[in-house]
Amino acid sequence: MVFDVPAEYGGAYSILKDFYDEVKTHRDEKINWIFVLSKPEFQETENIKILRFPWIKKSWGHRLFFDNFIAPSLISKYNINKVFSLQNLTIPRADIEQTIYIHQPLPFIEHKFTFSENKLFWMYQNLIGHKIFNSIKKANKVIVQTKWLKKACIEKVGVDGRKINIVSPEIRLDVKGSFSPNNKAFSTFFYPASALQYKNHRVIIEACKNLKQNDIKDYKVIFTVKGDENKHIETLYNEVKSASLPIEFIGSISREKVFSYYTQSVLIFPSYIETFGLPMLEAKLHGGIVLASDSPFSHEILDDYKNAYFFESFDSTRLAELMFNTMSGKINYIEIGELKDLNIYKKNSLLDHIIN
């Protein structure tokens, strides 16, 4: 029985869909699968049954009721032998083998949110984080995407690392171009990110204010948000406009357009909460310069890359210095050539870890 009631869109849905497709393709007649979901509608097959509970999305109370009463009863009702939870948590009161997939980084990062700063993030780091730690202890197997998250699980939870398996996400990249080292590219900065607070657009804005104070103007920054996604982004948008900073809010763009920007701009990646941080790998494979937050997930991708530079996530002064050094030629760009070896980013079979 596969549990993933939170997944509806975004990265969590992608992980679920990829696993469902792998199961569907595998076609082992000896194994019967039951996917327990909320709103996604997947096709049933001879050995795949889909159970949908869309009412879970009504409130946290509905979710808690499901987790504590409905989920254990489903395991009993269908006489389940194994559970695979894609939702970071084991199923309570289920005395069978359980494997959990950990892809929620909030409980494992160094930055701590206060309740007044962000209630949801505080809850994930404290209340839900405590449940995740207990689930890691109880689970028979734990699956994570990266080395840094495995290390964090071992350090914070105190579990034996041998029960934690790394299954890196599948990276599908069709790199058709490479970074063009010219003055325009060195003075164009690109940040493809959503409107979430921890994506940390703020530090880029503060760095631009620093550059303005030093009368540095001949550059531009591109954000892939419109400026009206939420109150946090609206505040930043109004701040940028009132300060007349050279930052463009272009909104969401296609993956092909993102790849095009990697060939003609410098990537800034100040996010301080990521499981993986895909844009850094994408920019690296295009041979571009990357200015990244000094975080475990950044180092896992970029430590072997000669055009990567790091700054503390909230140090706008250091970021401004790196931006100036890039556009003024003080950073020596190193020609990389084609980067074909994805190393740990080659797909392992998630299914193999579940059925073996």
Side-chain angles (χ1 to χ4, degrees):
M1 183 166 274
V2 180
F3 285 89
D4 199 358
V5 295
E8 186 177 357
Y9 48 78
Y13 176 82
S14 296
I15 294 168
L16 169 64
K17 182 64 165 59
D18 286 347
F19 182 69
Y20 166 80
D21 289 341
E22 193 175 1
V23 169
K24 189 177 177 182
T25 304
H26 185 66
R27 294 181 180 177
D28 188 335
E29 295 178 356
K30 297 179 182 179
I31 303 176
N32 291 310
W33 297 87
I34 301 176
F35 281 74
V36 181
L37 313 174
S38 56
K39 293 187 176 182
E41 297 183 9
F42 290 168
Q43 180 184 2
E44 291 190 339
T45 68
E46 289 184 4
N47 67 328
I48 300 177
K49 183 176 181 60
I50 307 297
L51 302 178
R52 296 178 66 250
F53 298 86
W55 54 263
I56 292 168
K57 293 291 186 177
K58 291 182 178 180
S59 71
W60 278 103
H62 287 81
R63 171 67 190 278
L64 287 171
F65 177 76
F66 177 86
D67 285 352
N68 288 283
F69 298 100
I70 304 298
S73 69
L74 292 174
I75 291 173
S76 178
K77 176 181 178 180
Y78 288 96
N79 195 26
I80 300 302
N81 302 114
K82 291 184 180 182
V83 163
F84 178 37
S85 171
L86 279 159
Q87 51 196 39
N88 302 289
L89 301 170
T90 53
I91 305 303
R93 301 187 304 282
D95 190 21
I96 58 174
E97 181 179 329
Q98 296 199 49
T99 298
I100 59 171
Y101 189 97
I102 303 295
H103 54 95
Q104 173 51 260
L106 274 166
F108 301 95
I109 64 169
E110 294 182 6
H111 179 80
K112 299 302 177 186
F113 289 93
T114 63
F115 187 77
S116 59
E117 182 182 6
N118 191 304
K119 296 180 180 64
L120 180 61
F121 293 169
W122 179 89
M123 186 168 65
Y124 267 106
Q125 288 192 320
N126 294 276
L127 304 180
I128 298 176
H130 181 69
K131 292 182 66 176
I132 290 175
F133 292 164
N134 283 336
S135 290
I136 292 172
K137 291 177 182 178
K138 293 176 181 178
N140 300 88
K141 293 181 184 179
V142 178
I143 296 175
V144 297
Q145 291 183 341
T146 51
K147 293 177 182 177
W148 83 262
L149 191 50
K150 175 175 180 175
K151 184 172 182 287
C153 286
I154 295 169
E155 292 177 350
K156 288 186 176 291
V157 185
V159 296
D160 188 338
R162 288 175 295 183
K163 82 170 186 177
I164 303 177
N165 301 288
I166 300 173
V167 181
S168 51
E170 184 174 7
I171 306 300
R172 301 186 183 97
L173 293 183
D174 184 12
V175 179
K176 296 180 179 178
S178 59
F179 178 75
S180 300
N182 55 55
N183 291 336
K184 183 177 181 181
F186 290 141
S187 59
T188 303
F189 300 91
F190 178 51
Y191 185 31
S194 67
L196 292 168
Q197 181 181 341
Y198 59 73
K199 294 298 182 180
N200 203 18
H201 295 81
R202 160 68 66 189
V203 73
I204 300 178
I205 293 171
E206 295 301 324
C208 291
K209 289 180 181 178
N210 185 303
L211 292 171
K212 184 176 182 180
Q213 289 175 356
N214 289 281
D215 201 32
I216 299 167
K217 303 175 182 177
D218 295 330
Y219 72 96
K220 68 177 179 179
V221 176
I222 298 166
F223 288 162
T224 57
V225 289
K226 293 186 297 181
D228 61 357
E229 284 83 355
N230 54 44
K231 289 183 179 179
H232 168 68
I233 290 296
E234 285 179 5
T235 299
L236 297 182
Y237 178 85
N238 292 331
E239 201 171 306
V240 165
K241 295 306 177 184
S242 63
S244 299
L245 299 177
I247 299 176
E248 298 178 13
F249 291 72
I250 65 172
S252 179
I253 57 176
S254 68
R255 191 165 174 78
E256 290 74 19
K257 187 65 175 176
V258 169
F259 279 21
S260 177
Y261 271 113
Y262 290 141
T263 68
Q264 52 191 309
S265 62
V266 173
L267 175 70
I268 302 180
F269 198 83
S271 175
Y272 51 90
I273 300 177
E274 298 288 335
T275 302
F276 191 81
L278 183 58
M280 292 183 290
L281 176 63
E282 293 173 338
K284 171 183 173 180
L285 293 175
H286 282 82
I289 294 175
V290 181
L291 312 181
S293 63
D294 189 5
S295 304
F297 53 81
S298 301
H299 284 285
E300 183 162 343
I301 295 173
L302 298 172
D303 268 353
D304 63 342
Y305 186 55
K306 297 178 180 179
N307 288 317
Y309 300 87
F310 301 95
F311 60 95
E312 196 279 323
S313 300
F314 302 100
D315 189 349
S316 58
T317 302
R318 172 59 178 162
L319 175 56
E321 179 185 356
L322 288 173
M323 292 171 70
F324 174 73
N325 289 345
T326 302
M327 67 181 85
S328 64
K330 291 185 178 181
I331 283 182
N332 182 32
Y333 175 72
I334 299 171
E335 293 280 356
I336 300 298
E338 292 188 359
L339 293 171
K340 296 297 184 183
D341 186 7
L342 296 183
N343 296 322
I344 68 166
Y345 312 112
K346 293 177 180 176
K347 174 69 173 177
N348 298 318
S349 172
L350 184 55
L351 182 60
D352 286 345
H353 287 272
I354 307 306
I355 62 179
N356 294 329

mmCIF file of all heavy atoms in Angstrom, residues 200-215:
data_model
loop_
_atom_site.group_PDB
_atom_site.id
_atom_site.type_symbol
_atom_site.label_atom_id
_atom_site.label_comp_id
_atom_site.label_asym_id
_atom_site.label_seq_id
_atom_site.Cartn_x
_atom_site.Cartn_y
_atom_site.Cartn_z
ATOM 1 N N ASN A 200 14.130 33.242 -0.739
ATOM 2 C CA ASN A 200 15.083 34.280 -0.328
ATOM 3 C C ASN A 200 15.399 35.315 -1.408
ATOM 4 O O ASN A 200 16.558 35.709 -1.585
ATOM 5 C CB ASN A 200 16.372 33.610 0.170
ATOM 6 C CG ASN A 200 17.176 34.490 1.111
ATOM 7 O OD1 ASN A 200 16.658 35.455 1.659
ATOM 8 N ND2 ASN A 200 18.439 34.167 1.281
ATOM 9 N N HIS A 201 14.372 35.769 -2.120
ATOM 10 C CA HIS A 201 14.565 36.879 -3.059
ATOM 11 C C HIS A 201 15.078 38.129 -2.332
ATOM 12 O O HIS A 201 15.766 38.957 -2.912
ATOM 13 C CB HIS A 201 13.246 37.217 -3.759
ATOM 14 C CG HIS A 201 12.710 36.144 -4.653
ATOM 15 N ND1 HIS A 201 12.002 35.058 -4.168
ATOM 16 C CD2 HIS A 201 12.779 35.974 -6.006
ATOM 17 C CE1 HIS A 201 11.645 34.283 -5.180
ATOM 18 N NE2 HIS A 201 12.096 34.802 -6.296
ATOM 19 N N ARG A 202 14.719 38.226 -1.061
ATOM 20 C CA ARG A 202 15.065 39.399 -0.264
ATOM 21 C C ARG A 202 16.555 39.721 -0.292
ATOM 22 O O ARG A 202 16.960 40.876 -0.450
ATOM 23 C CB ARG A 202 14.594 39.181 1.180
ATOM 24 C CG ARG A 202 15.243 40.039 2.246
ATOM 25 C CD ARG A 202 14.883 41.503 2.133
ATOM 26 N NE ARG A 202 13.468 41.727 2.382
ATOM 27 C CZ ARG A 202 12.869 42.899 2.164
ATOM 28 N NH1 ARG A 202 13.578 43.916 1.687
ATOM 29 N NH2 ARG A 202 11.585 43.047 2.412
ATOM 30 N N VAL A 203 17.422 38.689 -0.163
ATOM 31 C CA VAL A 203 18.860 38.960 -0.080
ATOM 32 C C VAL A 203 19.386 39.530 -1.399
ATOM 33 O O VAL A 203 20.319 40.349 -1.408
ATOM 34 C CB VAL A 203 19.646 37.688 0.327
ATOM 35 C CG1 VAL A 203 19.720 36.681 -0.814
ATOM 36 C CG2 VAL A 203 21.040 38.055 0.813
ATOM 37 N N ILE A 204 18.780 39.154 -2.526
ATOM 38 C CA ILE A 204 19.190 39.714 -3.818
ATOM 39 C C ILE A 204 18.801 41.184 -3.896
ATOM 40 O O ILE A 204 19.577 42.031 -4.369
ATOM 41 C CB ILE A 204 18.546 38.924 -4.980
ATOM 42 C CG1 ILE A 204 18.981 37.460 -4.933
ATOM 43 C CG2 ILE A 204 18.922 39.550 -6.324
ATOM 44 C CD1 ILE A 204 18.357 36.593 -6.015
ATOM 45 N N ILE A 205 17.603 41.492 -3.417
ATOM 46 C CA ILE A 205 17.152 42.886 -3.414
ATOM 47 C C ILE A 205 18.065 43.747 -2.545
ATOM 48 O O ILE A 205 18.458 44.862 -2.927
ATOM 49 C CB ILE A 205 15.688 42.970 -2.934
ATOM 50 C CG1 ILE A 205 14.768 42.297 -3.960
ATOM 51 C CG2 ILE A 205 15.264 44.417 -2.683
ATOM 52 C CD1 ILE A 205 13.340 42.140 -3.502
ATOM 53 N N GLU A 206 18.437 43.238 -1.376
ATOM 54 C CA GLU A 206 19.335 43.983 -0.495
ATOM 55 C C GLU A 206 20.704 44.152 -1.133
ATOM 56 O O GLU A 206 21.352 45.203 -0.979
ATOM 57 C CB GLU A 206 19.460 43.274 0.858
ATOM 58 C CG GLU A 206 18.169 43.226 1.671
ATOM 59 C CD GLU A 206 17.622 44.610 1.982
ATOM 60 O OE1 GLU A 206 18.443 45.536 2.215
ATOM 61 O OE2 GLU A 206 16.388 44.771 1.983
ATOM 62 N N ALA A 207 21.167 43.153 -1.866
ATOM 63 C CA ALA A 207 22.450 43.252 -2.560
ATOM 64 C C ALA A 207 22.378 44.329 -3.643
ATOM 65 O O ALA A 207 23.334 45.100 -3.835
ATOM 66 C CB ALA A 207 22.817 41.906 -3.176
ATOM 67 N N CYS A 208 21.243 44.411 -4.335
ATOM 68 C CA CYS A 208 21.064 45.440 -5.365
ATOM 69 C C CYS A 208 21.039 46.838 -4.753
ATOM 70 O O CYS A 208 21.556 47.805 -5.342
ATOM 71 C CB CYS A 208 19.787 45.178 -6.153
ATOM 72 S SG CYS A 208 19.865 43.716 -7.209
ATOM 73 N N LYS A 209 20.448 46.975 -3.573
ATOM 74 C CA LYS A 209 20.477 48.264 -2.873
ATOM 75 C C LYS A 209 21.913 48.651 -2.530
ATOM 76 O O LYS A 209 22.303 49.823 -2.629
ATOM 77 C CB LYS A 209 19.641 48.186 -1.591
ATOM 78 C CG LYS A 209 18.144 48.101 -1.817
ATOM 79 C CD LYS A 209 17.413 48.028 -0.479
ATOM 80 C CE LYS A 209 15.913 47.930 -0.661
ATOM 81 N NZ LYS A 209 15.190 47.808 0.639
ATOM 82 N N ASN A 210 22.690 47.657 -2.115
ATOM 83 C CA ASN A 210 24.101 47.879 -1.803
ATOM 84 C C ASN A 210 24.857 48.367 -3.043
ATOM 85 O O ASN A 210 25.647 49.320 -2.979
ATOM 86 C CB ASN A 210 24.710 46.570 -1.279
ATOM 87 C CG ASN A 210 26.142 46.709 -0.810
ATOM 88 O OD1 ASN A 210 27.010 47.129 -1.564
ATOM 89 N ND2 ASN A 210 26.386 46.340 0.439
ATOM 90 N N LEU A 211 24.602 47.735 -4.174
ATOM 91 C CA LEU A 211 25.250 48.139 -5.421
ATOM 92 C C LEU A 211 24.836 49.549 -5.828
ATOM 93 O O LEU A 211 25.659 50.345 -6.305
ATOM 94 C CB LEU A 211 24.896 47.147 -6.533
ATOM 95 C CG LEU A 211 25.478 45.736 -6.384
ATOM 96 C CD1 LEU A 211 24.881 44.795 -7.426
ATOM 97 C CD2 LEU A 211 26.999 45.752 -6.498
ATOM 98 N N LYS A 212 23.568 49.880 -5.615
ATOM 99 C CA LYS A 212 23.080 51.220 -5.960
ATOM 100 C C LYS A 212 23.767 52.285 -5.118
ATOM 101 O O LYS A 212 24.122 53.365 -5.622
ATOM 102 C CB LYS A 212 21.561 51.288 -5.763
ATOM 103 C CG LYS A 212 20.962 52.626 -6.189
ATOM 104 C CD LYS A 212 19.444 52.633 -6.065
ATOM 105 C CE LYS A 212 18.877 53.963 -6.537
ATOM 106 N NZ LYS A 212 17.393 54.009 -6.441
ATOM 107 N N GLN A 213 23.960 52.005 -3.835
ATOM 108 C CA GLN A 213 24.650 52.940 -2.949
ATOM 109 C C GLN A 213 26.072 53.215 -3.413
ATOM 110 O O GLN A 213 26.630 54.285 -3.151
ATOM 111 C CB GLN A 213 24.663 52.399 -1.520
ATOM 112 C CG GLN A 213 23.304 52.410 -0.835
ATOM 113 C CD GLN A 213 23.338 51.749 0.530
ATOM 114 O OE1 GLN A 213 24.355 51.202 0.949
ATOM 115 N NE2 GLN A 213 22.214 51.793 1.235
ATOM 116 N N ASN A 214 26.647 52.236 -4.099
ATOM 117 C CA ASN A 214 28.004 52.386 -4.627
ATOM 118 C C ASN A 214 28.004 52.800 -6.097
ATOM 119 O O ASN A 214 29.024 52.673 -6.782
ATOM 120 C CB ASN A 214 28.778 51.076 -4.453
ATOM 121 C CG ASN A 214 29.130 50.799 -3.003
ATOM 122 O OD1 ASN A 214 30.077 51.358 -2.458
ATOM 123 N ND2 ASN A 214 28.350 49.933 -2.347
ATOM 124 N N ASP A 215 26.838 53.275 -6.552
ATOM 125 C CA ASP A 215 26.662 53.816 -7.902
ATOM 126 C C ASP A 215 26.989 52.799 -8.995
ATOM 127 O O ASP A 215 27.556 53.149 -10.038
ATOM 128 C CB ASP A 215 27.521 55.077 -8.082
ATOM 129 C CG ASP A 215 27.022 55.948 -9.230
ATOM 130 O OD1 ASP A 215 25.790 55.960 -9.463
ATOM 131 O OD2 ASP A 215 27.849 56.592 -9.888
#
